[in-house]
Every structure is written in C-alpha cells, then in structure tokens.
Amino acid sequence: NAGVMQNPRHLVRRRGQEARLRCSPMKGHSHVYWYRQLPEEGLKFMVYLQKENIIDESGMPKERFSAEFPKEGPSILRIQQVVRGDSAAYFCASSPQQKTDTQYFGPGTRLTVL
Amino acid sequence: ILNVEQSPQSLHVQEGDSTNFTCSFPSSNFYALHWYRWETAKSPEALFVMTLNGDEKKKGRISATLNTKEGYSYLYIKGSQPEDSATYLCAFNAGNMLTFGGGTRLMVKP
C-alpha cells in the first residue's frame, strides 16, 4: 500500500505565476488535509476536504488559494499569482475517517517563488 | 486560536540515555492527541494517537502518556539511539484539523 504521494517535490515559480500542487491520498482514504510550513515556523492547517467537498477551509488565505478533491484523481492545491511570501513547504495528509484517525503525511512540496 | 506548546525546544543526549518531552494543549474540545516523528527531508511519521484520559501507548522504546484533564502529554524514549535523532511533534485534534506544537528537536550523540 503506497503512502501519500505528492508531486512535484520541488516547484520553482516566478512572482505572478500559478502553482499547482498535487496530492494522492493512501488507498482507501477519502479525507485529505493540506498543511503549510513557512520558513522558521511549524506546520499550520490550511484546508480539509472529502471527495468533491470542502469541509473546513478556515486556514486558507482568503485570496489566490483554492483546493479541490475531485471524484477522480488527486487533490489539488492551487495558488494563483504567487508572491515571495508563498514560499513554503506544503504537506498533504490523508486519513480513512475524520476526527480521531491518524493522519498520514506525504513528503511535501517545497515551493520557491523567485 | 489553540495553543499547543512543546518543551524543551531542543535536547542533546548521549546514546543510551533515557529522555522525555512535554506537550501541553487546551483541555476543552478534545478529540485526540497525536505524536509524530519527523526526520529532515522526510514525511512526518505517525507514532501514536491518544484519545482517552490516562491513555498509555508504547511502540518499542518509545512510549507516551496522556492527561486530558490538565492538558498535557509526555513522550518517553528509553535508551536513546542515534537513529532516534529527529523532531518530535505533538498535535491537538479538535475535530477537523491538527494544531501542531513547535516540536522538540532531539539529537542523540553516539
């Protein structure tokens, strides 16, 4: 059973470009979470999705950021018109159910905005 | 804003030493307390999920306890080995998300 997959592992974008980060959850997991680690900071929650639904996006910046988890295919975190402050490591986690289940983390995507 | 604190921030021990770290968290709206082990350039690795007051969990030389009434959890490592060197994160689960502490960075010298 493959773990949580994220790609790309490293992504370089220039200011104003779009960044698309992909996450494939573990087999059988229908709950996906995105977390961000800014430089010198800890992991911070961004958004929680189930298939085709956003359940909690309280940690998402209000502008330029969006997330989806379609019926088929990976979850996508999309950042439009990136700025230098978006440079961070973005981690995806999945769980079979919500609440008290273990969240299994992917290796992260390191986004660098030039 | 939930406050999850870990102490110490970093710890240097000799191989063979036993050690422990603390995680403090809010005592309300508690669903679970998670412990992760995180090595540089790797994914955070799940160690324990603890849900009940008084829970004790063990995995090899690593164990953890939970006190939800006073809002703290301890992680113990018995007979530390160099391969235990990593950052140990606790995370408070209040429902839809995990709120992480800042981590304890453990370095074990051979």
Side-chain angles (χ1 to χ4, degrees), chain A residues 46-64:
Chain A
M46 298 182 76
V47 62
Y48 161 40
L49 309 106
Q50 293 180 26
K51 283 285 187 184
E52 300 184 277
N53 288 305
I54 295 174
I55 306 301
D56 185 338
E57 55 182 348
S58 58
M60 285 273 270
K62 297 295 179 209
E63 297 176 351
R64 302 186 297 107

Side-chain angles (χ1 to χ4, degrees), chain A residues 21-112:
Chain A
L21 287 61
R22 293 174 192 78
C23 168
S24 296
M26 286 179 73
K27 189 176 179 181
H29 288 193
S30 57
H31 299 255
V32 165
Y33 311 80
W34 286 93
Y35 295 84
R36 176 167 70 171
Q37 184 189 28
L38 292 166
E40 309 302 321
E41 294 190 18
L43 285 167
K44 296 278 184 353
F45 168 80
M46 298 182 76
V47 62
Y48 161 40
L49 309 106
Q50 293 180 26
K51 283 285 187 184
E52 300 184 277
N53 288 305
I54 295 174
I55 306 301
D56 185 338
E57 55 182 348
S58 58
M60 285 273 270
K62 297 295 179 209
E63 297 176 351
R64 302 186 297 107
F65 284 71
S66 62
E68 62 176 12
F69 188 17
K71 191 175 178 182
E72 301 291 336
S75 174
I76 306 284
L77 180 68
R78 182 181 176 209
I79 312 172
Q80 294 178 287
Q81 299 174 333
V82 295
V83 301
R84 288 221 174 103
D86 297 331
S87 295
Y90 292 82
F91 289 88
C92 167
S94 73
S95 70
Q97 298 178 29
Q98 59 174 326
K99 305 296 184 191
T100 60
D101 274 349
T102 297
Q103 293 184 19
Y104 295 90
F105 279 78
T109 293
R110 276 150 185 85
L111 172 66
T112 302

Side-chain angles (χ1 to χ4, degrees), chain B residues 16-49:
Chain B
D17 287 351
S18 292
T19 187
N20 65 85
F21 343 121
T22 306
C23 171
S24 63
F25 53 87
S27 51
S28 57
N29 297 321
F30 177 87
Y31 279 88
L33 194 283
H34 301 240
W35 280 101
Y36 286 87
R37 179 174 177 277
W38 196 5
E39 289 182 75
T40 305
K42 294 187 178 179
S43 315
E45 174 198 349
L47 289 174
F48 305 114
V49 179

Side-chain angles (χ1 to χ4, degrees), chain B:
Chain B
I1 296 176
L2 297 174
N3 210 21
V4 181
E5 307 263 354
Q6 289 189 248
S7 63
Q9 279 191 319
S10 65
L11 194 54
H12 293 250
V13 302
Q14 288 293 138
E15 182 175 355
D17 287 351
S18 292
T19 187
N20 65 85
F21 343 121
T22 306
C23 171
S24 63
F25 53 87
S27 51
S28 57
N29 297 321
F30 177 87
Y31 279 88
L33 194 283
H34 301 240
W35 280 101
Y36 286 87
R37 179 174 177 277
W38 196 5
E39 289 182 75
T40 305
K42 294 187 178 179
S43 315
E45 174 198 349
L47 289 174
F48 305 114
V49 179
M50 310 179 79
T51 56
L52 297 175
N53 185 43
D55 251 355
E56 288 190 33
K57 298 235 172 160
K58 191 174 180 184
K59 186 176 183 178
R61 294 179 292 100
I62 304 177
S63 59
T65 60
L66 179 69
N67 182 323
T68 58
K69 291 183 196 281
E70 295 180 38
Y72 65 83
S73 175
Y74 294 132
L75 188 80
Y76 301 91
I77 303 179
K78 187 177 176 183
S80 303
Q81 300 296 308
E83 57 265 31
D84 295 329
S85 297
T87 297
Y88 291 82
L89 297 172
C90 71
F92 175 77
N93 184 339
N96 289 338
M97 69 186 82
L98 298 182
T99 300
F100 283 87
T104 293
R105 189 176 174 207
L106 174 67
M107 282 153 282
V108 182
K109 298 176 194 173

